[in-house]
Amino acid sequence: MSITEFDLIKRYFAVGKVSRNDVILGIGDDGAVLQVPHGKELVVSIDTLVAGIHFPEDTDPESIGYKAIAVNLSDMAAMGAEPAWATLSLTLPEADHNWLRAFSQGFFDLADQFNVQLVGGDTCRGPLSVTVQLHGFVNTGEALRRDTARPGDLIYVTGTLGDAGLALAIKQGKFAALQKGYEYLLQRLDRPVPRISEGLGLHGVAHAVIDISDGLASDLGHIIEASHVGATLYAGKIPVSPVFESYRKVIGENTWIDMAISSGDDYELCFTINPESQDMLHKRLPNIRYTNIGEINTSSGLRCVLENGYELVPASSGYDHFRGQ
Ligand code: ADP
Ligand code: MG
């Protein structure tokens, strides 16, 4: 069935349930007209997902739609921002209705849940690529940043690490899946839960915050570089899921823990706090697991200490698109 570009937009993208009163003009004109609330600053982030690079070619379209917005929500969480508006630039090989229906479903599942309104975008033909830009608000001067860690701070992460990296490694045939738990790992890869309420809860508590998209070692590396500090991580404290734990023997101790520290796509938050703020932290993050995994110091670089006292040099310091060029 052929469809015009305009019909396609109307059918699949002008269908969100969210109607915000700070959207003066949404989808349909040459540009959106938006009102930033008084006393707020605008936080903007953008991420592109390219088939074969950011997700395997065979990923189901609903998960692609979900993840395209999830990775941007994760950036909003790391800034302590309340998400508000999205724009979507979509390049498609063809107008496949089943694909578009599922993609749109995954996208709006999450957008609606976080009160995000899709206010515009662009649609064209070419190799599959999805770009989402998100806009959110913080109180003036209160954005959470990565350049504000201080020596003596404790380092924390939310949730558990390594599940998504393990799912990808299994998909790529590097390890065989164990009988139990593979579905859980895939869920963690395809459907990361953005830590928006946790990001909002960290205002006035956290010194520095980043989201873990490229792997803990790499992203904590960004905090210490931007903040001009060093850090020590304790491998034995890294929180992992029971399913991830069950792969310990199969993968081999050092590679296994390195996977939790180095692999990407976790979309958890890594943050630092003054040790005296621990009580306040407990009140601010009541509904989620969070773990102290190390501390910020005045050395340079990142040290990762194993339980036997030896140091682990992470095999990879995160995914870098231009490495080796
Ligand atoms: P123009 O030719 O003026 O750039 P387009 O034909 O590209 O406009 O888009 C028409 C309207 O539909 C615009 O408001 C645009 O923001 C919106 N739009 C286009 N593609 C998408 C999309 N994938 N998701 C949401 N809105 C879209
Ligand atoms: Mg256009």
Side-chain angles (χ1 to χ4, degrees):
M1 179 180 40
S2 78
I3 183 169
T4 66
E5 188 184 318
F6 189 72
D7 283 341
L8 184 153
I9 294 163
K10 213 162 118 185
R11 185 179 311 178
Y12 297 109
F13 297 109
V15 296
K17 292 193 188 73
V18 175
S19 170
R20 300 179 56 102
N21 56 16
D22 48 21
V23 176
I24 315 299
L25 199 53
I27 292 175
D29 213 311
D30 293 307
V33 181
L34 309 163
Q35 179 82 59
V36 179
H38 190 69
K40 302 276 183 182
E41 284 170 343
L42 191 60
V43 179
V44 181
S45 79
I46 187 165
D47 261 309
T48 295
L49 302 185
V50 178
I53 294 182
H54 298 95
F55 54 87
E57 308 264 359
D58 65 351
T59 307
D60 70 284
E62 196 174 330
S63 293
I64 299 170
Y66 177 102
K67 197 157 175 182
I69 189 156
V71 299
N72 280 283
L73 283 167
S74 180
D75 285 324
M76 287 287 136
M79 299 305 292
E82 175 200 336
W85 312 313
T87 52
L88 166 67
S89 177
L90 193 56
T91 307
L92 296 170
E94 60 188 328
D96 175 333
H97 287 277
N98 289 333
W99 193 96
L100 278 160
R101 195 175 304 114
F103 175 88
S104 158
Q105 170 99 44
F107 183 94
F108 285 111
D109 262 0
L110 203 56
D112 293 350
Q113 197 179 316
F114 285 92
N115 200 28
V116 168
Q117 186 171 343
L118 182 63
V119 296
D122 197 26
T123 308
C124 62
R125 194 163 194 166
L128 179 59
S129 163
V130 184
T131 301
V132 172
Q133 183 169 47
L134 264 195
H135 310 73
F137 310 134
V138 288
N139 289 340
T140 301
E142 292 183 8
L144 300 176
R145 307 166 54 128
R146 58 177 71 176
D147 60 359
T148 39
R150 296 176 209 165
D153 278 1
L154 301 177
I155 303 166
Y156 279 83
V157 286
T158 59
T160 61
L161 301 183
D163 292 327
L166 176 54
L168 191 61
I170 292 171
K171 270 194 156 192
Q172 292 170 337
K174 292 182 185 158
F175 305 103
L178 296 179
Q179 262 186 352
K180 267 176 68 179
Y182 185 45
E183 277 306 310
Y184 168 82
L185 295 176
L186 285 178
Q187 182 85 2
R188 293 276 288 159
L189 176 65
D190 291 337
R191 303 287 173 118
V193 176
R195 302 300 186 195
I196 292 292
S197 61
E198 291 76 19
L200 292 171
L202 289 176
H203 281 287
V205 188
H207 284 166
V209 187
I210 197 165
D211 73 315
I212 305 177
S213 51
D214 296 331
L216 172 66
S218 171
D219 290 313
L220 178 57
H222 295 318
I223 287 191
I224 63 178
E225 196 183 326
S227 302
H228 307 291
V229 292
T232 303
L233 277 184
Y234 301 103
K237 292 187 174 185
I238 304 291
V240 297
S241 68
V243 175
F244 191 84
E245 177 76 45
S246 69
Y247 280 80
R248 196 173 189 144
K249 282 216 176 69
V250 181
I251 296 177
E253 185 71 25
N254 281 1
T255 309
W256 176 82
I257 194 64
D258 191 28
M259 186 177 277
I261 293 171
S262 300
S263 65
D265 267 356
D266 289 313
Y267 299 105
E268 297 291 349
L269 296 181
C270 175
F271 57 94
T272 79
I273 66 165
N274 185 314
E276 288 170 12
S277 301
Q278 284 179 93
D279 283 347
M280 201 196 313
L281 181 65
H282 299 325
K283 290 191 192 104
R284 294 295 192 82
L285 302 185
N287 300 319
I288 191 179
R289 176 174 179 180
Y290 55 93
T291 312
N292 172 215
I293 54 169
E295 67 249 347
I296 299 289
N297 51 46
T298 52
S299 67
S300 73
L302 176 66
R303 288 180 65 226
C304 180
V305 183
L306 293 166
E307 278 173 292
N308 60 13
Y310 285 101
E311 253 182 64
L312 175 86
V313 179
S316 128
S317 46
Y319 190 81
D320 180 340
H321 288 270
F322 296 102
R323 184 176 295 149
Q325 279 205 331

